[in-house]
């Protein structure tokens, strides 16, 4: 074994035999879709479905828009992960769980990562022509400054999870405008729906990403990384329960303003409340691997909330769709 491979092995790096293509794949996090791709997609699906429920959007249009946002959100999440790894390469070398990532392990070079980032962003920007002007502007705002500045927040503030919440859930706002008539202003109740639900999703992100960050608290102190996991300290569980309650209350408010039905309030709200109850009851804060499992469980939370919205959409518009 060479000195280089010995040092990589000590750092827990990706084995030298692993191909560069595999490194690109891991850099985009596509090998772990539930670890973030779905968490960025669900707010898009929520916004589309709630807007379709309110406006009576035809099912083919809704399916088309959901498919479009699924592709765009996946590409954007991958681009954000690449940028984050480029900015955090020095931090990742000091965090045990991150040392085997393609950049700190040397499988992919920084210049290659920048090239990959551009290749991921180009189709996202190109896909904006498939939406309206307002949705295009909102999409570009989501790319910069929201996603572009997130990696720096871990250096500037102990609240990077709050900024991440803005970035991860911005698709909810974009989705409303993508599926609504851009020539007509939104009503006050609709704006209230969007604002309240979006603020709720920010609280949701603070919850799941703080749980995720608890895996690295000791390494983050050494590396100088700031996070709510460090800020909340020993009170992390009760504080996150408060943020979860805020999320659920804002879900209720948004559903009321949007005139949602039984599916939303029973499945989306009550169902997710029960799921969060399980998460906090079973979460073992001092076991890093359990934090990873609870983080992933929020992908199922997103699905549960969306199912309730789909039930409402079908109960209101399904008859007309079936007879069309």
């Amino acid at each position: 074994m060479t000195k280089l491979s010995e040092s990589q092995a000590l750092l827990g790096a990706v084995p030298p035999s692993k191909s560069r293509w595999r490194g690109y794949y891991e850099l985009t996090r596509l090998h772990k879709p539930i670890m973030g791709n779905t968490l960025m997609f669900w707010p898009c699906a929520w916004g589309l479905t709630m807007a379709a429920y309110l406006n009576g959007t035809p099912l083919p249009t809704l399916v088309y828009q959901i498919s479009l946002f699924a592709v765009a959100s996946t590409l954007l999440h991958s681009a954000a992960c690449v940028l984050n790894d480029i900015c955090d390469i020095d931090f990742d070398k000091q965090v045990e769980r991150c040392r085997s990532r393609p950049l700190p392990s040397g499988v992919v070079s920084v210049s290659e990562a920048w090239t990959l980032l551009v290749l991921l962003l180009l189709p996202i920007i190109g896909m904006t022509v498939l939406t309206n002007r307002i949705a295009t502007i909102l999409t570009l705002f989501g790319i910069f400054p929201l996603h572009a500045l997130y990696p720096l927040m871990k250096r500037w503030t102990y609240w990077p999870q709050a900024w991440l919440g803005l970035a991860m859930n911005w698709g909810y706002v974009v989705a409303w405008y993508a599926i609504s008539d851009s020539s007509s202003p939104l009503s006050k109740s609709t704006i209230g729906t969007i604002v309240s639900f979006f603020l709720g999703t920010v609280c949701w992100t603070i919850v799941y990403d703080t749980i995720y960050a608890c895996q690295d608290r000791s390494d983050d102190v050494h590396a100088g990384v700031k996070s709510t996991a460090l800020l909340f300290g020993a009170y992390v569980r009760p504080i996150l329960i408060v943020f979860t309650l805020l999320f659920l209350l804002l879900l209720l408010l948004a559903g009321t303003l949007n005139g949602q039905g039984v599916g939303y309030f029973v499945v989306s709200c009550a169902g997710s409340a029960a799921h969060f109850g399980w998460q906090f009851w079973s979460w073992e804060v001092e076991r890093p691997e359990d934090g990873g499992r609870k983080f992933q469980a929020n992908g199922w939370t997103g699905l549960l909330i969306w199912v309730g919205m789909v039930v409402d959409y079908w109960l209101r518009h399904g008859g007309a769709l079936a007879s069309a």
Side-chain angles (χ1 to χ4, degrees), residues 40-321:
M40 186 177 288
F41 166 69
W42 288 129
C44 302
W46 296 340
L48 291 169
T49 308
M50 290 183 75
Y53 170 82
L54 178 66
N55 299 324
T57 303
L59 182 60
T61 301
L62 176 59
V63 172
Y64 168 75
Q65 289 289 346
I66 287 177
S67 301
L68 182 67
F69 273 80
V71 174
S73 64
T74 298
L75 291 172
L76 183 55
H77 179 261
S78 292
C81 288
V82 173
L83 178 62
N84 185 74
D85 284 8
I86 292 172
C87 295
D88 285 359
I89 185 170
D90 292 331
F91 287 154
D92 287 348
K93 290 178 180 178
Q94 303 177 63
V95 177
E96 182 65 32
R97 185 178 54 81
C98 301
R99 288 172 179 168
S100 62
R101 288 178 176 175
L103 285 179
S105 66
V107 172
V108 176
S109 69
V110 174
S111 61
E112 290 170 334
W114 279 112
T115 301
L116 177 60
L117 176 61
V118 172
L119 292 175
L120 289 167
L121 287 176
L122 286 176
I124 299 171
I125 295 173
M127 290 171 71
T128 61
V129 301
L130 301 176
T131 60
N132 55 58
R133 183 176 61 86
I134 297 177
T136 297
I137 294 172
L138 291 173
T139 298
L140 295 176
F141 181 80
I143 295 173
F144 184 89
L146 294 184
H147 281 287
L149 294 184
Y150 166 68
L152 302 177
M153 293 299 160
K154 289 172 278 187
R155 297 165 171 80
W156 296 343
T157 175
Y158 278 99
W159 289 90
Q161 280 72 23
W163 187 271
L164 181 66
L166 298 175
M168 289 288 288
N169 300 291
W170 189 245
Y172 180 84
V173 180
V174 178
W176 265 95
Y177 282 92
I179 208 168
S180 301
D181 182 4
S182 60
S183 63
S184 302
L186 300 179
S187 67
K188 290 183 179 180
S189 62
T190 298
I191 293 174
T193 298
I194 297 171
V195 171
S196 57
F197 199 103
F198 177 65
L199 291 177
T201 61
V202 174
C203 294
W204 178 52
T205 299
I206 291 173
V207 171
Y208 68 65
D209 203 63
T210 301
I211 291 175
Y212 187 73
C214 283
Q215 299 177 94
D216 305 319
R217 284 199 285 193
S218 59
D219 286 334
D220 285 350
V221 170
H222 175 70
V225 177
K226 298 178 180 179
S227 73
T228 47
L230 295 175
L231 179 66
F232 298 162
Y235 300 98
V236 64
R237 190 194 304 269
I239 292 176
L240 292 186
I241 289 175
V242 171
F243 275 106
T244 300
L245 292 174
L246 283 173
F247 175 45
L248 294 172
L249 287 173
L250 288 167
L251 250 65
L252 288 169
L253 175 60
T256 301
L257 290 173
N258 203 48
Q260 295 289 154
V262 64
Y264 181 89
F265 292 107
V266 173
V267 181
S268 301
C269 296
S272 61
H275 194 264
F276 280 121
W278 164 78
Q279 286 189 52
F280 285 110
W281 176 77
S282 61
W283 179 31
E284 299 178 62
V285 180
E286 301 305 322
R287 291 184 61 195
E289 64 275 13
D290 192 52
R293 284 193 292 267
K294 295 301 182 294
F295 172 79
Q296 293 185 54
N298 280 274
W300 297 108
T301 307
L303 175 61
L304 187 64
I305 293 173
W306 185 59
V307 166
M309 296 174 177
V310 171
V311 169
D312 272 4
Y313 173 80
W314 185 258
L315 288 177
R316 171 176 282 193
H317 304 293
L321 292 170

Side-chain angles (χ1 to χ4, degrees), residues 1-13:
M1 180 180 291
T2 65
K3 290 184 177 180
L4 178 60
S5 60
E6 286 176 356
S7 62
Q8 288 178 326
L10 289 173
L11 290 174

